[in-house]
Amino acid sequence: MKKLHIVNTEEVIRGDATDVYFIRTESILKNTHQARNVCMEIFLKSFPSSEYRWGIFAGLEEVLILLEGRPVKVRALPEGSVFFARTPVVSIEGNYLDFGGLETAILGCLCQASGIATRASRARVAAGTKGLFSFGARRMHPSIAPMVERAAYIGGCDGVATVAGARLIGEKPVGTIPHALILQIGDTVEATKAFDSVISNDVPRVALIDTFQDEKFEAIRVAQALGKRLSAVRLDTPGSRRGNFKEILREVRWELDIRGFEHVKLFVSGGLDEYTILELKDVVDSFGVGTRMSSAASLDFSMDIVEIDGKPIAKRGKESGRKSLMRCRECMRDYVVPYGKVKTCDCGRATSDILETVMENGRLLKKLPSAQEVRTHSMDELEMLTRDKDPKDILNVKPV
Ligand code: PCP
């Protein structure tokens, strides 16, 4: 069978997805017997835009898959942690020849997953307790759909849409009805009734109501047809017809409620981001977000030597020596200090090093957390960061 333009795990571990200048560096160090024991740190200089105040750290599980079995020691932030710019998130120690050649793949795993998880966490902050679902696999190469959706889930999505993404996180895939079904059956109500007659009862009945007619009248029709079996109506109204979308949603809500369909929720999708979610969340119950999350800007982590043979040394622009990342959990403030140094927060409380040793000599020191556990950790950290604060401030929303 012809192959998609991708490499698999074995090929990545073998170094096929590595920038060739790392492979050449390895052969030069080998041939000149100058390979050294190094400590390399992964660090984010700045976020992709000034809107961002924090990041959600994701992709560590895959990095540990790449390094497993190699004689290296890894200290890292727990996956799902909130992190800030200019702080180390991973430190790898060992002989350069044992892991240096994986720099491209290691950074690739962290940069993209953390970009998606961070964007998802911003949508989470905007949505508050409303439903938030990852519908963005179609905007990315299919081979990375599981990674994309796991990152969106860690960042705060309640569910993901692809079978492979849901399998990876151990959840059921979430989905509604595509326009393709409505167009082929030729009517919103008949298509929803067909869905209701074929699909198992544990799948919520969410009718898509923007294909043919005005959403208000389609909502009434489908609610009268399915009654209590209808869980929600989805509006994926095309931009050309959206006008004042919030007014349309208010109208649909009103028409459903005066006819006794208060149980029918409103689900919206199409072109959403954290700002539109903030705007709509008082009338909407669930959001399906695609592009804005799955094609989130990658976070440009860098991986640099900070010690050679135990002595601090780093390139210009980078602080040398291995570091500890001391966090005051109350203030959610981080302090970067030389490794092992203690630090008291400006609030007077003690801080603790949040870079945990997760791998020694290529062996994991404890079982990796499940996607659910990573998400719970991420939501706890987000709660600590955002409690008692206005989402608008947190999301750095510029006043209009
Ligand atoms: C899209 C699909 C995705 C949504 C929109 C993601 O609708 O439903 O869930 O949109 P975004 O990338 O703009 O955030 P359509 O393309 O109309 O597709 P379908 O008929 O398959 O629902």
Side-chain angles (χ1 to χ4, degrees), residues 129-148:
T129 56
K130 298 294 171 95
L132 179 65
F133 299 94
S134 161
F135 283 177
R138 66 187 63 197
R139 312 291 181 218
M140 290 284 117
H141 191 285
S143 63
I144 61 169
M147 179 282 289
V148 167

Side-chain angles (χ1 to χ4, degrees), residues 242-303:
R242 240 171 226 215
N244 181 331
F245 198 33
K246 194 165 187 176
E247 275 317 311
I248 296 173
L249 290 158
R250 281 212 179 98
E251 227 177 294
V252 172
R253 182 73 275 156
W254 171 269
E255 300 299 343
L256 286 170
D257 292 354
I258 62 166
R259 289 172 178 77
F261 299 118
E262 291 86 351
H263 71 281
V264 177
K265 305 284 184 219
L266 298 189
F267 192 126
V268 296
S269 60
L272 300 175
D273 62 20
E274 56 267 42
Y275 309 111
T276 39
I277 291 173
L278 260 182
E279 212 186 301
L280 299 175
K281 79 166 185 197
D282 52 347
V283 271
V284 168
D285 303 288
S286 289
F287 300 93
V289 181
T291 315
R292 179 73 179 169
M293 278 196 292
S294 61
S295 59
S298 230
L299 302 188
D300 62 354
F301 286 114
S302 61
M303 179 167 158

Side-chain angles (χ1 to χ4, degrees), residues 328-377:
C328 170
R329 293 210 170 278
E330 274 314 302
C331 309
M332 281 301 274
R333 279 191 62 183
D334 289 352
Y335 301 87
V336 179
V337 299
Y339 183 56
K341 285 262 180 288
V342 293
K343 168 77 185 161
T344 304
C345 179
D346 296 352
C347 74
R349 293 185 185 93
T351 62
S352 55
D353 190 352
I354 52 174
L355 290 177
E356 293 177 0
T357 303
V358 288
M359 182 176 269
E360 287 274 14
N361 203 19
R363 216 169 36 77
L364 286 172
L365 298 185
K366 63 181 179 182
K367 185 173 156 309
L368 288 174
S370 67
Q372 283 74 12
E373 289 161 334
V374 174
R375 184 180 184 280
T376 304
H377 172 65

